[in-house]
Amino acid sequence: MSSSIKTQGLTVTALLAVALPSSFAFVPSSIQSAPGATSIVTSTSSAASVLSSFRSPSAAAAALEGHTARRTASITTLFASSASYIPAEADESCDVLVLGSGPAARAVAALLSSPTCPDGSPHGLDVLMADANFDRAWPPNYGVWEDEWEAINDLYESFGRTLGDRKCIDRRWGVTDCYFGGSFNIPTTERFRVDRPYCRIDKDALREVLTLDGKDDSGYRVIRANHISRATSTNLYSPSGTLTHDTDGSTIALQAKDGKQTTVRTRLIVDCTGHESDLVLKDGRASSQPPGFQIAYGALVTVDESSSPDKSQIGPYDKEAMTLFDYRTDHFKEGSDDERNAEQAPTFMYAMPLKDNRIFFEETSLVARPAISFQEC
């Protein structure tokens, strides 16, 4: 699905349809609350909520008023509040520092650096993306409902960005199948079909269209380095001095693979490095259950169809349908430990028939506490 946040003409739309990881937004209090008290706003819902902290009309209006030539001035009107914003020791400065370079990071960077808003107002921030592994391929498999992809594509185009329309669609299925047999007395052969097209994303094509570094002046900048900070308490990080927040922004140390360090001064940090971020701490003030975990693994396989009686199927799966859920356990021996384990910690498989006799399988434990192992899954 897609999500957008609009405040006085400032709109941010994030690509959520390809299972983007959560993001954390660090916003100085001079933007989102009363002056004088430094605070950190964390956003874990999606990449879309990066600018949700701009709550007041005046703050949102400042984002657009008098904004010019972001490449000629590091401090834009969105963040300019004092002459002391950039300390002398900073090697780089930017409006927004995005940590990580996966789909969430590149979606955030692409939209925040876009030169225009959907209403035609000037936009565009100086965005710096930091990841020592920026050039690494994306390993996950991504899928999306077709209608959601089309809506997301339209929203990106309203920002002057493009996802290449159908360029990023690797395969389309007109229907989606689900199997829940074995539970609640549902026969294992019973199929639940959803008449809603589903698509597999070409992750390499998506990575290409969201890579905007150096293409023109409307893209984002990239530094191949990672942050080295770890939160030890509220607004305290180790090693000391590697990340500091104040009412005007944040200063953070980044380190490349060769050990070279770069100090960056920014008004907003968006952490897209993954769910186990080192920059935030779990709230330990109240007791709660341990977290639940999701795991998944997949395999792209080629099936020998030389003796197949029906080449419109791959095993039990229709080649013209995406199987979203297969929770069946009838392949286990009745009464076996494997069957009991599967009932206690259910997993499901989805199957994406690709071209000819190629198919992508993925087994998923949607949630388990504690996490089950890949061997069990």
Side-chain angles (χ1 to χ4, degrees), residues 209-222:
V209 299
L210 289 178
T211 300
L212 302 175
D213 67 309
K215 290 186 177 179
D216 55 48
D217 199 45
S218 68
Y220 50 82
R221 298 183 290 131
V222 173

Side-chain angles (χ1 to χ4, degrees), residues 10-13 111 114-118 123 154-161:
L10 179 64
T11 305
V12 176
T13 304
L111 292 173
S114 173
T116 59
C117 287
H123 184 34
D154 290 344
L155 287 167
Y156 268 72
E157 288 183 351
S158 72
F159 274 86
R161 299 302 194 198

